[in-house]
Amino acid sequence: MELSALLPFLGHSEQDSGLSDLLTTAGFDVSLMPGRAQRGGGTGHCELNALGIELAFQFHTDYKHSYGVPMDGGKAILSAIFVYGQPAKKRKAYVGPIPFSSGPIHDRDDALREFGVPYHTEEEDGEIDWDHWMKGNVQVGAFYREDTSLKYVSFTVPLKTTVEKLNRLASGRP
C-alpha cells in the first residue's frame, strides 16, 4: 500500500467505504478502541507495522473542536498519517514513495530540497526538531533526530488555528 492512496481519506471517518475497507483489511476495528474514544473524545491509532505506517484518528468531538467539520458523520476521523524512516523493534521502515516529493527523504536536507521552505520550524538550543509545510489541504511535517536524520514524516489535517494563521499571513495581516 502506498501512502498516496491513504491521503484522500484524511478528514474522513470509518463510515467512508474506502477507508472502512482499508481498516478491515488491516484488521482494525474502531469499536474496540478505549472507552473515552467510544464516547467521542480522544485519539486512536492503527499501526500498520509491516508497512512502516501509522494512522491516527481523532474522535468526532475533539476533531470538530480542533480541525472543523469532518467529511462525514462517523466517530473516528482520520486526522494524521505517519511514515517512519527507519525500522524499529516491531515496525519496518516505510519504503514507498513520499507524496509531494520526487525522491526519498532521509534527513532534513532531503526534506528541504523536496518540500521547499517550511512555513514553520521548531528549533530549540540550536537543534531543529521539525519543519512544517502546507501542500494543498495537507500539512506535511518532517521530524528529526539530533543528527537531523529523519524520524518520521507526518501528513495531517491542518488545525483550524493553522489555517487561520496562514490565511492571515497570505492576506498580509499579522
Side-chain angles (χ1 to χ4, degrees):
M1 173 186 315
E2 289 189 1
L3 184 56
S4 60
L6 295 169
L7 288 184
F9 296 117
L10 282 171
H12 288 271
S13 77
E14 81 285 354
Q15 289 185 352
D16 179 280
S17 61
L19 182 56
S20 177
D21 290 348
L22 178 125
L23 295 175
T24 299
T25 301
F28 185 68
D29 186 349
V30 171
S31 69
L32 299 178
M33 288 186 178
R36 181 168 182 248
Q38 293 304 311
R39 292 188 302 275
T43 304
H45 297 270
C46 173
E47 295 181 7
L48 305 172
N49 290 328
L51 301 173
I53 297 173
E54 180 179 347
L55 308 177
F57 294 87
Q58 194 77 23
F59 290 85
H60 66 283
T61 303
D62 291 341
Y63 186 94
K64 287 178 186 176
H65 175 74
S66 298
Y67 301 99
V69 178
M71 302 291 193
D72 47 52
K75 70 170 101 175
I77 293 79
L78 180 61
S79 58
I81 303 166
F82 304 94
V83 293
Y84 294 88
Q86 295 183 5
K89 197 173 196 175
K90 294 181 181 180
R91 181 187 61 243
K92 292 184 178 183
Y94 177 75
V95 294
I98 301 289
F100 312 113
S101 74
S102 61
I105 297 175
H106 301 290
D107 55 29
R108 185 166 192 251
D109 289 339
D110 291 344
L112 294 173
R113 182 178 54 254
E114 294 296 329
F115 298 136
V117 176
Y119 77 82
H120 188 71
T121 297
E122 180 69 27
E123 179 178 357
E124 189 174 319
D125 297 328
E127 184 179 311
I128 304 291
D129 293 325
W130 49 262
D131 293 307
H132 280 159
W133 299 263
M134 285 299 295
K135 300 294 181 181
N137 293 328
V138 176
Q139 180 174 287
V140 177
F143 296 78
Y144 312 107
R145 292 181 176 79
E146 241 178 78
D147 65 357
T148 74
S149 65
L150 184 70
K151 281 186 198 175
Y152 60 90
V153 178
S154 66
F155 298 86
T156 65
V157 175
L159 293 168
K160 286 191 295 190
T161 54
T162 299
V163 172
E164 291 165 359
K165 180 180 178 181
L166 291 174
N167 286 340
R168 279 194 316 273
L169 291 173
S171 68
R173 294 178 289 148

